[in-house]
Amino acid sequence: MKFKRQRSQEVGVDLTPLIDVVFLLLIFFMVSTTFTRESHLNIELPEANGERSESEATLIDVVINAEGQYILNDRTLVNNRRETLQRAVSELAGDDTSLPFIITADARTPHEFVVRAMDVAGRLGFAKLSITTEREAPAP
């Protein structure tokens, strides 16, 4: 008996349903995503004429140079250790922790020295801590 040989069909994966499912998922995620709208308020601040008042209030002004040296109210400290700064601030402020504590650091000052000054202010109980910055120059 002679049997006719059947041609073998090429086996392949039909990608059309897969592409359809991926396309539907893409549409679903695009529709279900919420887009945030940021609104900006344009406000006009009131203007006032007058002289700037110079208050004679006492404050604690700590300046830190690029090398980490502390200058407390225009007086350079002998070293940059925590204990030295804490002792000098205690002598200057006494028991008055309501004084403003202002830290001014050079841009190249290591972060350690700024954090050390903030830690001293916190340990002594100062609540009015400020860090001074320089205003950016306007773009030309």
Side-chain angles (χ1 to χ4, degrees), residues 101-116:
F101 195 98
I102 301 171
I103 299 174
T104 305
D106 189 278
R108 296 176 306 273
T109 301
H111 188 66
E112 169 190 5
F113 299 107
V114 177
V115 171
R116 186 178 295 165

Side-chain angles (χ1 to χ4, degrees), residues 2-129:
K2 194 172 182 184
F3 290 108
K4 198 175 191 184
R5 288 196 121 171
Q6 293 182 351
R7 276 189 170 171
S8 64
Q9 291 182 343
E10 205 173 303
V11 179
V13 178
D14 188 18
L15 293 179
T16 305
L18 178 67
I19 293 171
D20 288 343
V21 169
V22 169
F23 184 66
L24 287 173
L25 284 173
L26 178 68
I27 291 173
F28 173 76
F29 287 124
M30 286 175 55
V31 169
S32 64
T33 302
T34 58
F35 296 101
T36 58
R37 291 181 186 249
E38 293 184 23
S39 61
H40 298 278
L41 296 176
N42 292 327
I43 58 172
E44 242 180 80
L45 296 176
E47 295 179 3
N49 292 330
E51 295 294 321
R52 187 173 178 170
S53 66
E54 295 293 327
S55 63
E56 296 294 324
T58 309
L59 56 92
I60 308 295
D61 187 23
V62 179
V63 178
I64 310 169
N65 64 12
E67 291 79 35
Q69 188 67 36
Y70 293 111
I71 302 165
L72 182 67
N73 285 14
D74 299 325
R75 193 181 87 196
T76 305
L77 301 183
V78 292
N79 59 30
N80 57 3
R81 293 182 32 219
R82 177 186 323 270
E83 296 81 20
T84 307
L85 179 62
Q86 190 167 352
R87 190 176 319 114
V89 170
S90 294
E91 288 174 5
L92 187 63
D95 292 332
D96 189 9
T97 59
S98 66
L99 296 174
F101 195 98
I102 301 171
I103 299 174
T104 305
D106 189 278
R108 296 176 306 273
T109 301
H111 188 66
E112 169 190 5
F113 299 107
V114 177
V115 171
R116 186 178 295 165
M118 292 170 67
D119 184 46
V120 165
R123 287 181 186 212
L124 293 175
F126 287 93
K128 297 178 182 176
L129 178 66

